[in-house]
Amino acid sequence: PWSVLLQTAGADGIPLTKAGWMAPAACERIWHGSGLAWDYGKGHREQLTPEVAILREECVRAKLIRSFKSHLVLTPLGRRAAADDAVLAAAAADCLVTDRDDFGRDARVLTLLLLAGGWRPDTSTIDAVASGYPTADQHLFRAEVARLLSSMGWRENGGPVGDYGPAAVSRVLTLLTAGMPHPARFRELPTAAGARHLARLALFPA
């Protein structure tokens, strides 16, 4: 996904609408080319395509792109990343592990640790069956991240962290499951070697 967005920006940048969204043609190209697309819809409106919006926001945080004169343009790091896969991998890994606050960072680190270690849910347990989602690995994964966050002392509305409390988990999963078939991408955990490599690189950049 990162590579496709950088290629789309290219030398001229990605035009932005008056409202600040990516131009429809560019958004559609990124949606289809990045592996983020569903099996229906055009994906040409960023405001209605959260996967592309997440990718853009993560690329901005990674300092790969920035807004300039009504365009999204490559930064110096973005230009180097577009030409060098090793630089791109390092930048993508860095954006996966960093966050604006400690809660988000902890959620990202736990997510990446579980993915890097090849965590898979034990669907034979009572908790898994009782959840009502015995085959939805992502649901059980989120529950495990929430459990670990709660055990670290984090609280949500005075109680344990809920399964969908850490939005950072969704962001990491969205980007690392790109390319998986729809709708499996919303149920299963990323298994591609590249996804696991990025998770490890994020945690252990050296």
Side-chain angles (χ1 to χ4, degrees):
W2 294 273
S3 178
V4 170
L5 189 144
L6 298 185
Q7 291 168 12
T8 303
D12 299 325
I14 297 172
L16 297 175
T17 66
K18 289 183 179 180
W21 302 106
M22 285 190 281
C27 183
E28 186 172 3
R29 176 182 172 185
I30 293 168
W31 196 59
H32 287 288
S34 64
L36 293 170
W38 303 351
D39 54 358
Y40 57 87
K42 292 183 177 180
H44 64 303
R45 294 186 181 277
E46 184 185 356
Q47 63 269 42
L48 300 178
T49 314
E51 295 83 1
V52 175
I54 286 172
L55 175 60
R56 170 185 172 174
E57 291 165 6
E58 296 290 297
C59 283
V60 169
R61 286 198 317 103
K63 296 181 172 59
L64 293 170
I65 58 173
R66 66 185 181 93
S67 297
F68 180 72
K69 293 184 177 179
S70 301
H71 283 71
L72 282 178
V73 299
L74 298 179
T75 63
L77 175 60
R79 289 194 292 273
R80 294 198 304 274
D84 188 327
D85 287 344
V87 174
L88 176 57
D94 183 62
C95 84
L96 287 174
V97 78
T98 57
D99 206 279
R100 291 170 294 183
D101 55 52
D102 290 342
F103 177 74
R105 178 175 169 80
D106 284 353
R108 286 175 181 267
V109 169
L110 288 172
T111 297
L112 293 164
L113 279 169
L114 293 176
L115 293 177
W119 184 91
R120 288 294 179 272
D122 179 4
T123 55
S124 66
T125 65
I126 295 176
D127 288 345
V129 174
S131 72
Y133 296 88
T135 61
D137 289 359
Q138 283 197 27
H139 176 86
L140 301 177
F141 182 90
R142 293 171 191 275
E144 178 65 4
V145 173
R147 185 189 70 79
L148 291 170
L149 285 168
S150 297
S151 72
M152 292 173 64
W154 287 108
R155 291 293 178 267
E156 187 177 47
N157 299 321
V161 178
D163 295 3
Y164 287 88
V169 178
S170 298
R171 290 175 169 267
V172 173
L173 290 177
T174 293
L175 294 174
L176 291 185
T177 54
M180 291 177 62
H182 180 282
R185 194 171 76 238
F186 302 98
R187 296 196 310 261
E188 301 174 11
L189 295 172
T191 56
R196 193 169 182 182
H197 172 72
L198 269 180
R200 290 177 172 174
L201 186 62
L203 295 164
F204 310 107

